[in-house]
């Protein structure tokens, strides 16, 4: 059981580490493969080019997604160059975002949870299979290194350097880190319907990461369920085991929380003696739970003069004394008790603050008498007085004092410079507000390890040095918590060796307890306005520190004298006096190294603390033996091994000079720009090597400019549009007004898809949360349009059954003037008197009438005269009633700003009627759910029916369609329907290629087919009218090309290829011609094929169709008696039609017939004679001759 628990825990841990890594930076694409669609995965691995044809994709990459997101060194630096003139404000914003990280302070809730947490100790966490924290951290680091292409948690963020040597500067690394953090921190992501139409790669990447996280969370949830089941089963076993073990134990240790958790076990164990430690801090109810009827002796150990237990409900604590422990209650009842008088923590000077002011008597153990004095300070105990006022925060519920916070942080830094470890220092404060004020002043680089707590959460803890900020300082003399002796006792008793407090002594002195403490401090001169700092190296130099700025007089923790320590290298330390690192073992000398590296006297070029190179890298002039050029060569390198950097003087075969360096082999790819004639007939300026290397041709950059089916000119180039065979999608803005009143944001399209913006429809009760293009859920709350004169009894989404109320509003505005609105409507925000010019501004023409009343549109805020607005809102209804013309289905708009009117009680009936009509249109666009599912099932059936044929396709293409059929909506299904139709046709062509073409012919046609499939599966394919037209024309061309190759293969097998060579050449020339395969070209090919049929009939029999019918009818045999030899010559088997003997073909001497009713190799049924698909003698024994598609 424990092993199973460990396995489930490891599974959860593994997935949790992956989930954690997904939040820390850019994931490598290999981990996102399962959540990236196939077309996007292909495009991710496809090397992109920019418009001028030059490649920007490096040859060596650790992560393609880094380059794809534009975070690679080349792309990032290019973008930085383009944005070099951006606003300084943006620069400052980036710097602000890159501020130093602050120390981590545990939240109060976390501390409470730690107090309540119970570790069983016997589970896998404590066993051999349990992972230690160090192992987990190592696993996280290993996972980050493996999964993250860019890790934001590292000090430096930089994509791996490219071969070209691009370097990213420190400031640019900050910008890159900030950009990535901003993009990953955004919550917006694409919907699955938007995935194909990519407009923002960062939004798309967030969709992938979101899917990946959902996948991980699903796995974690499954593992957690299995883990919880195993835990429950193991808990039952452990309960019985614990009971057996505890019943035999002499001593049982538990927390009070554990005692409550295992109360049933304790009741069965029945302990007779119960000892409770820190009993004064435990609620009485928690102690009661540990007791059983068998308890004979209860021993409570604690200190009721320190903090009481904390109750969750403040009223219970104050009104019913819930915060009083059993320990304190029994002491107050004068039950006999024993006091422990020896303390083992504080040095005597600190202990004197507690006696006799808090404790009547307190003895010091000998162990506290030998503490070392605090370094760098004149005294081990001091109270710094000030009068700087506090500040209220959190609506007066907490307080902060910036003067104290800055002083305490500066003192903490000073003590660290004295050589103390951060873990030896604790900063205590009495208010949570001050806690976060301290945190904001403590960068993690300097203060990691320093403990910062409020006093209430530090009881039971201790440290060598405690810095105490008391916060309260005000003119009212309110000290708050500082007058509670328990809190004062805890605050002053946490330090072992040094205690330094800061507060308003004059105000605190009014409290008797503090007055007594101050009296003790003054007797020993341990209170004052300034703390005395002493230099360890120069004791005579002292600094009085009353403010944080005073610590600048000891910048390195000593004084302002120069250090002047002679280092081992011979240089002198350049720092001012510093007490830390007195032997300068960790000091790094930043002066130039003076060591000689070679016999020529060259000095090391590095800094003194850096390790000198083994070989001298100073460049000297040397003569290259091969070319006799003089070059600056590293001193240690022989000239024979150095590449001469002079320009090469050799001429390439094309006649142009080589552009490489002299020492490099001459390139075969000449980069000189010349005029290149392309196969498409265009010419352009490009690299010379395109003329000498016929196997590679640049993409033609001549603008296409052909008119597309949508009426716009194509914006692609000749190369991008494949010489007009397949045009780039039209990117002109659609800008049509959708039914929802939004503008269509899709590129040029005939049928606009449903709007994906957030729906803006709302009422007084709620707002629609669906995408705008999806049907809204109707609000069925009662209509809220009520006034003293009339009321509506309908539901919110229904047209109201009451007329608008035209009575003037009786309300008075804040300015004291009468409201200019109408009864039952929302009062306009303007006043006829105070805002006279705005209200009476003429629009309809009735605004300046003395008794004019107005309504304010909530959607845009415009104020309009109501009679004119009523007439405007009723215009469409009047036209529709009179039958004058058709009325457009859309929301009415504000006559001033054209904002759609969606929310207005007065015109609610009109709005609801419009919305009802709009919802009907939405349902028609999206399709009824039942029709949608029927359409989906029809397509799934069609796809399944063709599964055997579709095995000719790539398995990935087949699976991609299957997956999309499960999730796509109506628009996606329409796209899939087109894609499936074309893929089925492609599969049929591939089947013909495999059966009727030679390997060489199949490879030739296969290149065209693969190119067609790539076009078909391109990301964002929407199957517009132009795209469908282009695909159909290209598929027709490939089909005819396949047909003519099949004819050629048949002619070759019969030795008649010379007979049709001229016709085949004529047809192939038309089919292979650049540009789109037009209908005119198709007609030419069809005519040429008819001419080919006369010379070489497609049946391969050498006779026409009429002659064939005459022969078949003359023999009067059932279908299945006609066969053909391996070379296509037809023969007949009589009787049963089964092969029982072999002969030689009279035309080619090939073996015909067979034995035992089985045909000889290469022989097959001649279906072209009588249409039979199998032999006549026995269908059962010749099942292998059947095409599986027939079943």
């Amino acid at each position: 059981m424990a092993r199973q628990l460990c396995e489930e825990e490891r599974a959860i841990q593994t997935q949790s580490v992956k989930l954690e890594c997904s939040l820390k930076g850019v994931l490598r694409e290999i981990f996102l493969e399962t959540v990236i669609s196939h077309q996007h995965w292909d495009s991710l691995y496809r090397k992109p080019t920019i418009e001028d044809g030059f490649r920007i994709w490096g040859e060596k990459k650790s992560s393609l997604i880094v380059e794809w997101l534009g975070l690679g060194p080349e792309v990032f630096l290019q973008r930085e160059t383009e944005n070099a003139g951006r606003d300084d404000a943006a620069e400052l914003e980036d710097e602000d975002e890159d501020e130093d990280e602050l120390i981590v302070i545990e939240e109060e809730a976390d501390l409470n949870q730690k107090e309540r947490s119970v570790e069983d100790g016997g589970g896998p966490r404590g066993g051999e299979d349990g992972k230690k924290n160090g192992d987990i951290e190592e696993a996280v680091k290993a996972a980050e290194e493996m999964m993250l292409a860019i890790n934001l948690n590292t000090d430096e963020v930089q994509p791996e350097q490219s071969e070209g040597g691009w370097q990213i500067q420190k400031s640019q690394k900050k910008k890159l880190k900030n950009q990535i953090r901003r993009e990953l921190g955004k919550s917006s992501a694409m919907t699955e319907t938007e995935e194909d139409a990519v407009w923002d790669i960062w939004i798309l990447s967030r969709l992938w990461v979101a899917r990946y996280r959902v996948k991980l969370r699903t796995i974690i949830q499954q593992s957690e369920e299995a883990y919880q089941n195993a835990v429950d089963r193991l808990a039952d076993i452990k309960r019985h085991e614990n009971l057996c073990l505890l019943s035999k134990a002499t001593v049982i240790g538990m927390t009070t929380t554990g005692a409550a958790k295992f109360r049933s076990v304790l009741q069965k164990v029945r302990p007779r003696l119960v000892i409770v430690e820190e009993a004064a801090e435990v609620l009485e109810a928690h102690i009661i739970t540990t007791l059983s009827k068998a308890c004979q002796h209860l021993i409570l150990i604690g200190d009721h003069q320190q903090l009481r237990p904390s109750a969750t409900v403040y009223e219970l604590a104050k009104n019913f004394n819930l915060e009083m422990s059993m320990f304190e209650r029994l002491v107050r009842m004068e039950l006999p008790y024993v006091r422990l008088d020896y303390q083992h923590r504080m040095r005597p000077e600190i202990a004197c603050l507690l006696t006799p002011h808090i404790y009547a008597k307190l003895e010091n153990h000998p162990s506290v008498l030998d503490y070392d004095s605090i370094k760098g300070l004149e005294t081990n105990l001091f109270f710094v007085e000030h009068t700087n006022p506090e500040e209220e925060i959190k609506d007066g519920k907490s307080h902060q004092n910036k003067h104290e916070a800055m002083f305490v942080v500066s003192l903490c830094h000073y003590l660290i410079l004295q050589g103390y470890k951060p873990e030896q220092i604790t900063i205590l404060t009495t208010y949570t507000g001050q806690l976060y004020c301290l945190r904001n002043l403590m960068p993690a680089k300097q203060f990691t390890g320093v403990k910062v707590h409020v006093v209430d959460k530090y009881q039971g803890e201790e440290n060598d040095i405690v810095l105490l900020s008391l916060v309260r300082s005000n003119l009212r003399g309110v000290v708050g918590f500082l007058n509670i002796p328990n809190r004062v006792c805890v605050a002053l008793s946490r330090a072992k060796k040094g205690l330094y407090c800061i507060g308003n002594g004059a105000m605190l002195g009014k409290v008797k307890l503090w007055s007594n403490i101050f009296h003790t401090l003054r007797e020993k001169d341990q209170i004052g306005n300034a703390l005395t700092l002493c230099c360890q190296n120069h004791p005579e130099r002292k600094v009085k520190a009353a403010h944080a700025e005073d610590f600048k007089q000891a910048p390195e923790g000593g004084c302002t004298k120069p250090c002047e320590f002679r280092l081992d290298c011979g240089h002198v330390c350049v720092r001012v006096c510093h007490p830390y690192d007195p032997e300068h073992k960790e000091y790094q000398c930043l002066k130039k190294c003076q060591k000689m590296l070679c016999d020529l006297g060259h000095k090391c070029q590095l800094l003194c603390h850096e390790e000198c190179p083994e070989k001298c890298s100073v460049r000297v002039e040397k003569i290259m033996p091969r070319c006799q050029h003089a070059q600056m060569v590293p001193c240690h390198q022989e000239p024979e091994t150095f590449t001469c950097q002079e320009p090469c003087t050799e001429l390439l075969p094309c006649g142009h000079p080589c552009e490489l360096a002299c020492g490099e082999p001459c390139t075969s790819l000449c980069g000189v720009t010349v005029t290149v004639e392309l196969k498409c007939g265009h010419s352009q300026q490009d690299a010379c090597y395109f003329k000498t290397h016929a196997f590679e041709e640049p993409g033609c950059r001549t603008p296409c400019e052909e008119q597309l089916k949508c009426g716009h000119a194509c914006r692609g180039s000749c190369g991008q549009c494949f010489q007009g065979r397949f045009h780039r999608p039209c990117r002109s803005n659609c800008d049509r007004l959708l039914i929802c009143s939004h503008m269509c944001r899709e590129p040029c399209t005939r049928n606009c898809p449903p709007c994906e913006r957030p729906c803006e429809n709302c009422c007084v009760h709620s707002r629609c949360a669906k995408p705008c293009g999806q049907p809204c859920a109707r609000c069925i709350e009662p209509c809220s349009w009520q006034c003293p004169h009339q009321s509506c009894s309908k539901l919110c989404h229904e047209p109201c059954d009451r007329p608008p109320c035209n009575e003037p509003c009786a309300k008075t505005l804040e300015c004291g003037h009468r409201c200019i609105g109408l009864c039952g409507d929302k009062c306009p925000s303007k006043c006829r008197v105070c805002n006279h010019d705005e209200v009476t501004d003429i629009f309809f023409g009735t605004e300046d009438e003395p008794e004019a009343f107005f309504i304010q549109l909530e959607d845009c805020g415009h104020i309009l005269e109501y009679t004119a607005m009523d007439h405007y809102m009723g215009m469409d209804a009047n036209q529709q009633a009179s039958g004058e013309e058709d009325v457009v289905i859309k929301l009415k708009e504000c006559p001033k700003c054209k904002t759609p009117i969606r929310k207005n009680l007065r015109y609610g009936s009109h709005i609801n009627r419009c919305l009802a009509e709009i919802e009907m249109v939405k349902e028609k666009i999206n399709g009824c759910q039942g029709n949608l599912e029927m359409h989906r099932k029809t397509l799934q059936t069609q796809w399944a029916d063709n599964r055997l044929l579709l095995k000719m396709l790539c398995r990935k293409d087949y699976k991609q369609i299957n997956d999309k059929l499960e999730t796509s909506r109506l628009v996606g299904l329409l796209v899939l329907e087109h894609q499936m139709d074309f893929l089925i046709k492609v599969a049929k062509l591939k089947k013909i290629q495999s059966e009727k073409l030679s390997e060489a012919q199949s490879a030739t046609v296969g290149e065209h087919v693969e190119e067609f499939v790539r076009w078909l599966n391109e990301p964002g394919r929407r199957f517009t009218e132009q795209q469908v037209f282009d695909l159909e024309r290209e598929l027709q061309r490939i089909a005819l090309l396949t047909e003519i190759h099949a004819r050629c293969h048949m002619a070759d097998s019969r030795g008649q290829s010379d007979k049709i060579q001229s016709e085949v050449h004529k047809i192939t020339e038309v089919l292979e011609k650049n540009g789109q395969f037009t209908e005119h070209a198709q007609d030419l090919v069809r005519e040429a094929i008819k001419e080919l049929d006369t010379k070489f009939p497609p049946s391969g029999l050498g006779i026409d169709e009429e002659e064939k019918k005459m022969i078949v009818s003359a023999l009067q045999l059932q279908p299945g008696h006609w066969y053909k030899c391996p070379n296509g010559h037809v023969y007949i088997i009589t009787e049963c039609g089964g092969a029982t003997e072999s002969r030689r073909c009279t035309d080619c001497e090939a073996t015909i017939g067979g034995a035992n009713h089985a045909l000889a190799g290469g022989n097959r049924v001649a279906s072209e004679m009588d249409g039979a698909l199998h032999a006549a003698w026995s269908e059962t024994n010749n099942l292998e001759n059947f095409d599986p598609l027939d079943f």
Side-chain angles (χ1 to χ4, degrees), residues 684-842:
Q684 65 185 30
Q685 296 293 307
D686 228 313
C688 177
Y689 76 86
F690 285 120
K691 296 182 69 174
T692 57
H693 292 72
F695 61 86
E696 190 170 357
E697 184 178 88
C700 180
R701 298 191 293 275
T702 304
C704 177
E705 296 183 349
E706 184 175 331
Q707 186 175 4
L708 304 177
K709 295 290 184 182
C710 60
H712 298 120
C714 179
R715 296 182 183 179
S717 65
C718 178
Q720 291 171 335
C721 296
F722 299 91
Q723 294 77 49
R725 289 158 55 200
F726 195 78
H727 292 282
R728 286 187 65 187
C730 182
R731 292 298 177 188
S732 300
N733 292 330
C734 176
D735 289 340
R736 281 197 287 257
L737 190 66
L738 300 176
I739 187 66
C740 59
S741 297
H742 290 134
M743 299 295 288
C744 179
R745 296 193 298 185
E746 292 292 319
C748 178
T749 179
R750 169 170 290 184
N751 298 316
C752 299
C755 180
E756 289 295 336
R757 296 184 188 181
C759 184
E760 296 181 12
N761 290 341
C762 62
C763 64
V764 295
H765 306 107
S766 61
R767 174 180 292 273
C768 178
K770 295 183 179 180
C772 195
Q774 300 300 316
C776 300
R778 296 177 176 179
C779 177
I780 57 173
E781 297 290 335
C783 179
S784 58
W785 192 21
Q786 315 289 337
C787 76
H789 309 99
Q790 302 180 64
S791 63
C792 176
S793 61
K794 295 287 187 179
L795 298 179
C796 184
H797 75 276
E798 296 174 333
C800 295
D801 58 0
R802 56 156 283 186
C805 183
N806 295 330
E807 295 294 327
C809 180
K811 295 180 182 178
T812 302
L813 301 178
E814 292 182 0
C815 61
H817 298 119
R818 182 183 174 186
C819 174
I820 61 173
L822 296 171
C823 179
D825 294 340
K826 185 176 180 180
C827 293
S829 59
K830 304 292 182 183
C831 170
R832 195 192 309 271
V833 178
C834 302
N835 310 102
H836 182 267
D837 292 340
E838 295 178 55
V839 172
T840 60
D841 183 36
I842 298 299

Side-chain angles (χ1 to χ4, degrees), residues 188-204:
S188 59
M190 287 182 175
T191 62
E192 294 187 359
T193 55
E194 296 172 331
E195 184 179 3
D196 290 338
V198 181
W199 73 85
D200 189 321
I201 55 176
W202 275 105
I203 296 180
L204 180 60

Side-chain angles (χ1 to χ4, degrees), residues 1124-1127 1131 1142 1150-1155 1158-1164:
K1124 51 188 175 183
C1125 74
N1127 295 320
Y1131 63 94
S1142 299
T1151 302
I1152 61 175
L1159 293 172
N1163 285 258
R1164 55 191 184 278

Side-chain angles (χ1 to χ4, degrees), residues 7 21 281 346 478 509 521 525 580 693 724 755 886 966 1021 1093 1157 1172:
E7 290 174 358
C21 287
E281 200 183 355
M346 302 166 284
V478 178
L521 291 172
D525 198 21
Y580 61 90
H693 292 72
C755 180
D886 293 334
E966 295 291 336
R1021 179 70 58 244
D1093 289 344
H1157 290 78

